[in-house]
Every structure is written in C-alpha cells, then in structure tokens.
Amino acid sequence: MSDLLWPGDDRAGDLFTDAAVLAAMVRAEAAWLAALVRHGVAPAEAADDLAGLIDAGDVPLVAAGAESGGNPLIPLLKLVRTRLESRNAVAARWLHKGLTSQDIVDTGLVLCLRDVTARVRDDLAVQVAALVRLADGHRDTLMPGRTLTQYAVPITFGLKASTWLTGILDARDRLAATATLPAQIGGAAGSLAAPAALAGSPIVARELAETTADMLGLPVREPWHTARAPLTGLADALVTCTDAWGRIANDVLVGARPEVHELSEGAVPGRGGSSAMPNKQNPVLSILIRRAALAAPFLAATVHAGAAAAVDERPDGGWHVEWSTLRTLARRTVTAGAQTAELLAGLQVETSWMTANLAAARPGIDAEQRSITPGAAPGEPYPGAIEQIIDAALARARNTPR
C-alpha cells in the first residue's frame, strides 16, 4: 500500500494496510477459538490456528463484500468459514461463536495500532538521541533568539535544541501512557451474554475474554463498545507527536531561508529539487513533516467526534468513522516520525551564519540585558541559566519510561 498523494507514505510499509487489518482480525478470531477450546467450551477438534486461510490477495473480495453488512468482518468470516470447512468442519462451526463484529474489528484495529506505536516509539528514541547530541554539542553556540517573528534576546542553539527535545520527550511520555490498548470482548450488546451462555458460567465467560487477550498480548478490560477513550487517547498521543515534529520543522523552515541560513537539511542526491528551477534546494523533509502536523489534529478530532456520537450499546456510524481515520492518522504519524528522525540525523547547523545574524541584530538585541545590567558587555544574558535548562532536558532524556 502506498498513497500517491501523501509523499513518503511508503515509509510506513505494511503497517496498518488492508492486508494487515485482515490478518489482525483473523488472529483475533483464532485467539478466541483457542480460548473456547482451552476452557472446554468448544471440543478439542475445534482447535485450529486459521493459518494460511487468508492472504493479501483476498482484500478486494472482502472489501467488495463489506458494504452489505457495513463492516469488513462479515465477508471475512464468510470467506474463512468456506475455506475452513474443507480442513476442519468443527472449527468452522465454532468460529466467532459468542462474539460480535465489533469485538473482532476493534481488536484487529488495536493489534494494528500496537505495531504502529512500536514503530513510532523507535523513531522517538532516535530523535531523542539526535537532539541530545545537538543540545549538548551546541550549548555555547550563540544565535539570535526570536519571539513573535522578531529578534528578542541572544540565546544558544543548544537551548533551541533542548526546547525541541522537551517537545519530543512530552510526546514520548504521552505515547507511553496511552499506547497499551485493550482487547475488545463483549458480545452482541457488550454484556458477555452469549459467552456466558456458551460456557454455562459468567465467570468462565470472563476467563475466555482474559485468555483471548493474553494470547494476543493485550490487556483486558470491561467491554468498551461505546466507551472509546482507549482510541481517542491514542489518537491524541499521535497528534502530540506530530505537534512536536511540526514545531521542529517550522524552525528548520525558517532557519533554512536564504536570508537566515542558520539551518539546512542534510544534502541527499535528488532530494529537494524543483521541476522548473535547477538552482533550488527545497527543505522537503521539513515541508512534509509540517504537512503532517497540520493535518493530524483534524483526524484526531474525527475520532473524538465518533466517540461523542456513540449511542445505545453499539454505535451507528460513530464507530464506523473511526476505522479509516485511525489508519490514516497512524500511517501519517509513522511517516512523519521517520522523516523527523532523518531530518535531525542530517541537520546542518550553520554556526557562522548564526554568529553573523547575531552581530547584525546588535545593539538592539541586547536591550534587555543593558536595561538590567547597564554597562555589561554584549554576550549571553543571565550566565548559567541556559546551561541549567539544557542540563535539565538532557537529564530527562536519560529517563526512558517503561
């Protein structure tokens, strides 16, 4: 899967593709079937891992059949049952028994999102390491500080990099706090009625849910068909990431302007060219990262809108609007995360231009310092304060959350 109109989407690879969603839903069905057998609810003959029954070539068939029932799980089940009949008729009869479509679709989405968050965490770690190097290595590199687009007071590039680092650390911590998504096992109306009837015991019904979640490596919680905080929380965490990346990209875009020339993207042959102007070298990574940061909040807002529209025991449209929205947000976040990691790894800090721009901004840029300490020589205001800010960010970076 690759999106022609979202350049860089191929960086997300097989994450959260249609094929990945089908595979995740089959895994969820297989885990439930195994739980039924393990707890003696289904006969031992029903055991089947469902391996090899579905592949990427089945996506068009399932997609074409999804409209009739309003979700892709219904045609997927029909296809799996048909193929399973010839190899294990008992398993075919027990497949999906006691569940509802939302159980498997939600759990499939959760499995896909888990893979996405793992990838994003890896890229955040790379970004943290790069920013630690930049902040520490440029703690004494003086440059103009700017507020409201105008010169403010002298700062160091190390301070700017530590501010970027703080945003990345905030995103890292937010993602760590929301990324553990639960399995969804509730039955038709979120009451576990069918599993309890199958098992002959509400206690065993809950054990079935716990076993299924454990097999998938997911936590278990009460049915959340209409309580969508797990997904809205993760969507918000992904936007926190794109916010932090967008903030970095914005500074690079300003710093890369020819008249500023304080920052530039690492040169990669063929990247950043113009179709009409061979003299141009556009900061294309920063442009694409900024694009993702601008688009992501509205996708998260749609996930929230779906949660707010939840009604009765299963939503009518509010649930459905989440699926492609989450996939789009997830893949775009992965893409932007990889682009930001590459941007920071190759970022060129033009120290001579920082020095020249600071000199050109004087004496006005030293006005605050002169007003506080009259007669002081131009230089870094408030010696030691910037060092403390940088050191605090570096210390926090060393504390990786579980």
Side-chain angles (χ1 to χ4, degrees):
M1 172 178 174
S2 189
D3 187 342
L4 180 69
L5 299 181
W6 195 263
D9 178 73
D10 57 295
R11 289 175 182 260
D14 294 332
L15 290 173
F16 221 144
T17 60
D18 286 339
V21 173
L22 287 189
M25 290 194 292
V26 171
R27 285 179 60 200
E29 290 284 3
W32 177 253
L33 183 61
L36 292 174
V37 172
R38 178 178 296 186
H39 288 273
V41 176
E45 295 79 12
D48 197 296
D49 62 7
L50 309 184
L53 293 171
I54 294 292
D55 60 33
D58 294 312
V59 168
L61 181 62
V62 175
E67 185 178 14
S68 62
N71 73 68
L73 190 273
I74 295 172
L76 176 64
L77 276 176
K78 181 179 179 181
L79 189 59
V80 171
R81 281 199 183 100
T82 299
R83 294 175 180 174
L84 189 57
E85 281 281 355
S86 60
R87 107 177 173 195
N88 190 336
V90 179
R93 289 196 296 274
W94 281 92
L95 184 69
H96 194 70
K97 195 172 287 293
L99 298 180
T100 194
S101 296
Q102 190 168 353
D103 292 331
I104 296 300
V105 173
D106 279 355
T107 302
L109 292 175
V110 163
L111 290 171
C112 289
L113 287 167
R114 181 177 64 182
D115 292 341
V116 164
T117 56
R119 175 76 166 276
V120 174
R121 281 197 299 268
D122 288 345
D123 279 330
L124 286 169
V126 172
Q127 294 160 21
V128 167
L131 286 170
V132 165
R133 290 191 296 271
L134 287 170
D136 195 32
H138 289 280
R139 58 174 64 235
D140 298 321
T141 301
L142 286 169
M143 65 176 292
R146 299 173 176 88
T147 61
L148 307 181
T149 76
Q150 304 299 301
Y151 288 138
V153 297
I155 62 168
T156 70
F157 181 68
L159 176 66
K160 182 179 286 289
S162 74
T163 304
W164 294 352
L165 176 59
T166 296
I168 298 299
L169 294 174
D170 289 342
R172 179 195 70 178
D173 295 348
R174 181 73 178 275
L175 188 64
T178 59
T180 307
L181 298 171
Q184 174 77 274
I185 304 290
S191 63
L192 288 174
L198 284 173
S201 163
I203 295 175
V204 177
R206 295 177 68 84
E207 291 174 349
L208 287 169
E210 291 168 1
T211 298
T212 300
D214 185 63
M215 288 180 173
L216 296 170
L218 299 173
V220 66
R221 60 169 279 176
E222 304 307 316
W224 47 284
H225 289 153
T226 56
R228 310 304 283 174
L231 296 184
T232 57
L234 180 60
D236 290 343
L238 295 178
V239 173
T240 302
C241 293
T242 59
D243 287 349
W245 301 333
R247 182 265 182 279
I248 294 171
N250 292 337
D251 270 356
V252 174
L253 288 168
V254 170
R257 289 175 179 269
E259 62 270 26
V260 178
H261 206 83
E262 293 174 354
L263 298 169
S264 62
E265 295 186 359
V268 175
R271 176 180 289 163
S274 166
S275 65
M277 294 168 284
N279 59 299
K280 291 194 72 181
Q281 187 68 36
N282 297 315
V284 68
L285 281 178
S286 300
I287 290 167
L288 296 179
I289 294 163
R290 173 175 162 78
R291 162 204 64 175
L294 292 172
F298 301 97
L299 294 167
T302 299
V303 179
H304 277 282
V311 64
D312 299 326
E313 282 61 59
R314 297 270 307 286
D316 57 344
W319 173 50
H320 303 72
V321 78
E322 294 173 347
W323 313 335
S324 65
T325 305
L326 283 167
R327 192 245 294 282
T328 300
L329 175 59
R331 286 185 62 86
R332 289 180 178 182
T333 303
V334 168
T335 296
Q339 289 167 335
T340 304
E342 183 176 341
L343 170 67
L344 292 174
L347 188 67
Q348 302 296 305
V349 182
E350 308 291 349
T351 57
S352 61
W353 277 86
M354 290 179 176
T355 300
N357 288 339
L358 180 57
R362 285 182 162 140
I365 200 169
D366 297 311
E368 181 191 63
Q369 183 181 6
R370 291 198 308 272
S371 70
I372 295 172
T373 54
E380 178 191 330
Y382 321 126
I386 285 178
E387 288 283 335
Q388 291 176 1
I389 295 170
I390 294 172
D391 288 340
L394 298 183
R396 183 181 168 197
R398 289 190 286 269
N399 297 320
T400 303
R402 296 179 182 177

